[in-house]
Amino acid sequence: MNNFYTSNRQPLPDTAFSFLPLGSVKPTGWLREQLRIQADSLTGNLPKFWESLSPDSGWLGGGGESWERGPYYLDGLVPLACLLDDEILIAEARKWMDWMLSSQDESGHFGPKTLVDWWPLGVALKVLTQYHESTGDKRVIPLMERFFAYMKHELPHNRMYKHMWAMVRWADIVLSIIWLYNRNGDPWLLELADEVMRQGYNWTWHFDDFAHTRKQADLYPMRTHVVNNAMAIKTPAVAYELTGWDEHRRGALQAIEMLDKYHGTAVGVFTGDEHVAGKDPSQGTELCAVVEYMFSLENLVQILGDPAFGDRLEKIAYNALPGTFSADMWAHQYDQQANQVLCTIDKRQWTNNGDDANIFGLEPNFGCCTANMHQGWPKFATNLWMATPGDGLAAVAYGPCRVKANVRGDKLVIVNVETEYPFDEFIKITLHMDSPAAFPLVLRIPGWARGASSRVNGANVPVEPGSLATIEREWNDGDVVELTFPMVVEVERRYNDSVTIKRGPLVYSLKIGERWEKVRGEEPHADYAVSPTTPWNYGLIIDPENPQVEVIRKTVGDVIYGPDFAPIEIKVKGRRVLEWGMECSSAGQVPQSPVKSDEPVEELTLIPYGCAKLRITEFPLLEG
Ligand SMILES: [Zn+2]
């Protein structure tokens, strides 16, 4: 339990950490620049030209889109506006929030009058909790109290199963019920949460006896839907908060293990285009699933504290997330592929997504991602640090930021994290305070960081990879903690015994020449096809047990996630594998390794996955 930041009230079980309120952690350095890029592109401009967020939106009182898109957008806009202290974004968010907060009727219902589906209301509740944390708006808690009373009254007849998305996404509603219960202590809220869970789909059983081990046809649309699965990863742990049961506590790890085993990709997500689609690296992963997996992991770290969730969170945030946007973030994909060699409007091997699902644009395939993508970066930045039991602070993921929080003895501490991580191995943490303060500082040591070291004011403090290191002492103003996480090049064996190159939290892909061509729409939010200008069908010459490669460190610029801005390059040797061609407008099945090739040896350049919009990530291994 933490004396300054909301913790679970009895009878809910203790969580590993408490969330810091939105605004306590602010991005700095390259991460702030990245959020600025996001603000200056689609997030800051969408309502000006995208019909779903126009003044006609049902979430502004109009007769237009009245389902999930308004709340989805706010779920990212509200934290982004707060983290950047951007007056224009804050005013935009306030416009929507003022409407939402004044929309409640006598019954307790809020939002568009016609809306009876619990699902979009669940997203709106998540928005309200963030808005309250960042502004302290006094209208939020009374609105939530009246709404949950309404929900308790309505659930016996307006049941969750009547709304297919709500039934499988119930945990997001429960998170907001728990948020309120921890603030007002009303016991009937827990009865409501139990009822929502009872009426919702049992994802713990689903993953415990996992039946969807192959690429799916459209047989069980809700259960095999990629976004539902990404959201469901947290669901057993949310259930654990209500039950305290061990099967629920273990359920999230089981979910991740099953999805990795049968559908996992090299960058820590799983395929689904739009249903789980097996391990072929030419299958797609929807952007909504990427940001929802991140949100699941942020909740899992907070509830359960396993440092492996932090490892996975960084892997997705630093690879899969940027890899599916153009460098300027004006364009995004619906589906990304680990082996992505052509982004055009063509029939592909998707289970049921449209022909435009992997082009970069405003609204490829369907507009859910256009609305939902905004939460990825800002929530990640917000949740880099959390509060610990015993009134300390924990780094659960790393990136440049500044934390302002209260610690033991009601002392205000400012924590400055200076780093170019994940492009650099060094992290410098400087503490500032008015008077000495004794409190635990908890540091996640990544599982891959063999030989990791930490120094406090120059003195070595031993740490173990894959653990949470707790340094409990009296801290003084100006104290410095230096972390070094050695990033060693590793080879992971994947589909058909292919090889993927990893180094620290980053996954590396073949740099392929890219030709971008506008296919429709208006600048700057047009749709683009991307075609290769250089060959892609290479196998690698590398010893998987002892990879010898050259790592070239370059500067980290204001723009990072494009092929020409890559802060790190890895040079490897390879040969063309001529029988490996296109199938269904994608890279064909990766040939079973090892493969033979008599083509000339070439030096190949690999760059971080997030920088490469065309890429090969799973390579055939050439015969030694
Ligand atoms: Zn989507």
Side-chain angles (χ1 to χ4, degrees):
M1 130 113 196
N2 185 293
N3 283 305
F4 305 104
Y5 300 106
T6 309
S7 308
N8 273 356
R9 271 178 195 259
Q10 290 297 325
L12 301 180
D14 290 338
T15 57
F17 301 120
S18 297
F19 286 120
L20 289 168
L22 177 59
S24 309
V25 184
K26 295 266 174 85
T28 58
W30 79 259
L31 188 55
R32 190 173 201 284
E33 294 299 321
Q34 190 63 39
L35 265 66
R36 198 63 252 170
I37 290 169
Q38 180 181 341
D40 292 339
S41 53
L42 287 179
T43 307
N45 292 289
L46 262 182
K48 295 172 192 166
F49 53 78
W50 197 44
E51 178 62 30
S52 294
L53 298 176
S54 73
D56 196 37
S57 164
W59 289 92
L60 290 171
E65 208 277 341
S66 297
W67 197 51
E68 66 184 8
R69 292 188 184 179
Y72 259 167
Y73 176 59
L74 294 170
D75 199 26
L77 175 67
V78 166
L80 184 66
C82 170
L83 296 195
L84 292 175
D85 296 304
D86 182 304
E87 288 304 327
I88 294 170
L89 295 188
I90 288 169
E92 180 68 27
R94 193 180 296 130
K95 175 184 87 182
W96 294 80
M97 297 312 296
D98 280 345
W99 185 85
M100 193 190 294
L101 286 161
S102 64
S103 68
Q104 195 163 38
D105 65 22
E106 285 300 308
S107 72
H109 179 277
F110 74 98
K113 285 279 169 276
T114 53
L115 184 64
V116 291
D117 183 347
W118 300 112
W119 154 241
L121 291 161
V123 184
L125 291 163
K126 285 194 297 180
V127 174
L128 286 162
T129 62
Q130 295 180 83
Y131 195 64
H132 183 269
E133 290 180 16
S134 61
T135 65
D137 193 308
K138 291 196 165 34
R139 297 171 292 176
V140 170
I141 286 180
L143 177 142
M144 289 176 70
E145 288 172 338
R146 288 191 295 264
F147 174 74
F148 287 134
Y150 161 82
M151 192 174 191
K152 186 164 181 257
H153 183 262
E154 292 293 308
L155 268 186
H157 48 273
N158 187 12
R159 296 177 76 80
M160 300 286 283
Y161 75 80
K162 292 185 176 173
H163 311 287
M164 57 184 189
W165 301 102
M167 189 179 73
V168 291
R169 298 176 173 184
W170 60 267
D172 287 63
I173 299 171
V174 168
L175 285 177
S176 294
I177 300 175
I178 291 175
W179 183 94
L180 183 61
Y181 171 73
N182 285 333
R183 281 161 178 80
N184 74 7
D186 282 347
W188 64 267
L189 285 170
L190 295 186
E191 292 166 26
L192 174 67
D194 282 342
E195 184 59 23
V196 171
M197 176 171 65
R198 260 195 302 275
Q199 293 192 15
Y201 183 63
N202 192 326
W203 286 102
T204 306
W205 289 354
H206 173 96
F207 289 117
D208 199 43
D209 185 19
F210 191 64
H212 308 291
T213 56
R214 293 166 185 274
K215 177 174 169 172
Q216 292 295 308
D218 205 358
L219 296 175
Y220 307 99
M222 287 295 111
R223 279 178 264 178
T224 58
H225 185 274
V226 63
V227 186
N228 293 346
N229 274 263
M231 297 176 73
I233 287 166
K234 67 178 175 294
T235 301
V238 175
Y240 164 74
E241 290 200 84
L242 299 180
T243 64
W245 296 353
D246 203 44
E247 72 169 36
H248 287 151
R249 203 167 57 81
R250 288 182 281 107
L253 284 173
Q254 171 72 9
I256 292 172
E257 188 184 328
M258 290 298 105
L259 290 167
D260 280 352
K261 182 172 179 183
Y262 297 109
H263 308 287
T265 80
V267 285
V269 290
F270 52 94
T271 62
D273 48 28
E274 120 162 8
H275 295 272
V276 289
K279 296 187 81 168
D280 181 336
S282 288
Q283 294 295 147
T285 299
E286 185 189 334
L287 171 50
C288 279
V290 173
V291 294
E292 292 294 351
Y293 202 150
M294 291 173 60
F295 182 65
S296 285
L297 289 162
E298 289 155 17
N299 279 282
L300 289 169
V301 174
Q302 184 260 333
I303 298 168
L304 301 173
D306 184 336
F309 296 132
D311 290 9
R312 181 63 65 103
L313 175 60
E314 286 180 354
K315 193 173 203 178
I316 297 174
Y318 290 145
N319 297 283
L321 179 66
T324 202
F325 286 93
S326 61
D328 62 11
M329 290 191 80
W330 272 104
H332 71 275
Q333 297 174 289
Y334 190 87
D335 282 326
Q336 65 177 291
Q337 300 156 289
N339 284 357
Q340 178 166 288
V341 299
L342 183 66
C343 302
T344 50
I345 302 176
D346 279 303
K347 183 75 197 135
R348 284 189 170 72
Q349 61 281 65
W350 318 134
T351 52
N352 59 353
N353 281 161
D355 294 351
D356 63 346
N358 83 345
I359 64 167
F360 285 80
L362 172 63
E363 197 179 357
N365 190 57
F366 188 67
C368 54
C369 305
T370 313
N372 189 17
M373 65 190 204
H374 312 276
Q375 64 169 312
W377 282 118
K379 287 189 188 172
F380 175 68
T382 293
N383 292 313
L384 291 170
W385 285 69
M386 295 185 184
T388 72
D391 301 342
L393 293 171
V396 302
Y398 294 99
C401 66
R402 181 171 174 276
V403 187
K404 197 171 171 184
N406 286 86
V407 295
R408 194 183 297 165
D410 202 8
K411 294 187 174 174
L412 184 69
V413 172
I414 290 170
V415 181
N416 252 326
V417 182
E418 294 167 87
T419 183
E420 289 188 338
Y421 188 91
F423 311 104
D424 201 288
E425 303 173 327
F426 305 104
I427 299 163
K428 181 182 178 189
I429 300 169
T430 310
L431 303 175
H432 295 289
M433 62 205 85
D434 287 339
S435 60
F439 65 92
L441 190 70
V442 177
L443 303 164
R444 173 186 135 260
I445 311 300
W448 47 260
R450 285 186 299 281
S453 66
S454 81
R455 295 192 302 167
V456 177
N457 298 332
N460 191 50
V461 176
V463 292
E464 279 297 315
S467 74
L468 296 172
T470 301
I471 306 176
E472 171 121 33
R473 53 175 274 154
E474 185 177 77
W475 300 95
N476 291 285
D477 186 46
D479 279 354
V480 174
V481 180
E482 292 164 288
L483 296 171
T484 305
F485 298 144
M487 294 180 180
V488 175
V489 172
E490 293 176 281
V491 174
E492 182 174 303
R493 303 308 293 266
R494 297 203 54 87
Y495 190 65
N496 283 347
D497 292 321
S498 60
V499 288
T500 291
I501 308 295
K502 305 183 294 182
R503 180 176 175 271
L506 296 183
V507 173
Y508 286 80
S509 303
L510 178 69
K511 181 179 182 178
I512 298 171
E514 299 175 3
R515 183 174 62 242
W516 288 63
E517 286 169 296
K518 186 176 130 177
V519 291
R520 63 189 183 196
E522 289 170 34
E523 306 281 356
H525 50 82
D527 288 356
Y528 303 88
V530 191
S531 312
T533 60
T534 55
W536 55 265
N537 53 347
Y538 288 97
L540 298 189
I541 303 166
I542 197 162
D543 177 355
E545 304 305 320
N546 184 25
Q548 300 295 317
V549 302
E550 185 189 356
V551 178
I552 300 166
R553 176 69 205 273
K554 301 188 165 183
T555 52
V556 177
D558 289 346
V559 179
I560 293 174
Y561 290 109
D564 299 330
F565 311 114
I568 302 178
E569 288 181 359
I570 290 179
K571 300 286 186 187
V572 291
K573 297 255 185 308
R575 299 175 194 265
R576 298 278 299 276
V577 177
L578 297 183
E579 70 268 26
W580 189 21
M582 301 288 285
E583 287 168 28
C584 219
S585 299
S586 294
Q589 285 271 319
V590 187
Q592 175 69 44
S593 293
V595 295
K596 280 189 182 159
S597 171
D598 297 324
E599 296 299 304
V601 174
E602 298 180 50
E603 185 180 68
L604 307 176
T605 300
L606 309 187
I607 57 177
Y609 180 104
C611 299
K613 310 308 163 180
L614 295 182
R615 57 187 166 245
I616 292 295
T617 311
E618 301 193 17
F619 297 84
L621 178 64
L622 289 167
E623 230 169 45

